[in-house]
Each structure stands twice: as C-alpha cells, then as structure tokens.
Amino acid sequence: MVKTYELRGKNKSELISTLDELKRELSELRTSKVVGGTATKLGKIGFVRKSIARVLTVYNQTFKSKLREKYAGEKHVPRDLRAKKTRAIRRRLTDEQKNLKTTKQTKREANFPQRKYAVKAL
C-alpha cells in the first residue's frame, strides 16, 4: 500500500510512473479474477484501487497548488482556482464598493454635517 506522505516527496514523473505500475498491477489482478485467482489476489484489488486514488489525489493537489502559486497576485484567476463560497456571496458587493459615495452625497455631508446636541445634566 502506498502512503501519502511518501508520495508528496515525489516529483511529477515519479508519480506518473507509480500510477502506471499500479494500473498495470490492477489489470493483472482483474485478469486473474476472471481466470479464477486466489482469494488474496481478489482482496488485493481494493488496496490497489485505493493506492491509485491516493496517487491521483496527491498529483492533482500538487498541480493545483503550483497553479495557485503561479496565479497569486494576478487580476484574473482561472475559475477552478477561485473561492467557491455560495452564488449569493460571490455576487455580493465588495466592502470597497459598499463604502463608495456619490459626489452629491459627499458634498451634502461636507456642507451639512451631523448636528451635535449637548444634554443638560440635572
């Protein structure tokens, strides 16, 4: 069984070679299943499938993290790298957009500031 922490240390070509080996082993196990292999070989199919899944997961995660590094600080980022959140949150105004004021509003606030009232103590 392949361990994920071991896979994370490997580079792209090593991961692909590991994946090819596992896929080859899986096809051999499946042919032995059809022919009528032993119970240990049949039980091993599940382990090999999980190992393939682990290799693909590590490969995709490293690929995506490198893409994130590449697009960090860029104006336009690919859709699959953007934050998912919810549709409503994605369409919501940003804080900067919320705090913008029209010229009329800024003039009105400058010319007619909020009145301050002093309350007399009894």
Side-chain angles (χ1 to χ4, degrees):
M1 189 161 71
V2 184
K3 299 284 183 188
T4 15
Y5 66 87
E6 294 169 355
L7 291 172
R8 292 198 191 282
K10 294 184 177 183
N11 61 9
K12 184 180 174 180
S13 59
E14 291 173 335
L15 285 173
I16 291 172
S17 65
T18 309
L19 186 65
D20 289 338
E21 288 173 24
L22 288 169
K23 284 186 175 181
R24 198 174 307 113
E25 187 179 352
L26 183 63
S27 65
E28 290 170 7
L29 288 171
R30 284 188 173 148
T31 53
S32 69
K33 178 184 173 184
V34 172
V35 174
T38 59
T40 54
K41 281 193 174 181
L42 296 176
K44 197 175 178 187
I45 290 175
F47 286 116
V48 174
R49 288 181 67 212
K50 298 283 185 193
S51 298
I52 290 171
R54 282 189 188 95
V55 171
L56 286 172
T57 302
V58 169
Y59 177 78
N60 289 328
Q61 284 177 345
T62 52
F63 181 72
K64 211 163 205 179
S65 67
K66 286 178 183 175
L67 272 179
R68 283 187 201 283
E69 289 172 13
K70 181 186 173 192
Y71 284 103
E74 299 262 336
K75 185 177 181 182
H76 299 291
V77 180
R79 284 209 174 117
D80 60 333
L81 297 180
R82 294 177 194 167
K84 178 81 168 99
K85 299 182 182 175
T86 62
R87 193 166 189 260
I89 292 173
R90 289 195 305 265
R91 278 151 181 73
R92 192 184 295 167
L93 290 175
T94 62
D95 290 334
E96 294 162 6
Q97 291 170 333
K98 279 184 204 170
N99 295 327
L100 284 176
K101 293 180 180 177
T102 61
T103 51
K104 186 174 184 178
Q105 193 175 2
T106 50
K107 284 178 187 176
R108 183 179 288 157
E109 286 176 1
N111 294 329
F112 305 103
Q114 183 81 41
R115 290 185 179 176
K116 293 174 188 149
Y117 296 98
V119 179
K120 189 175 181 181
L122 296 174

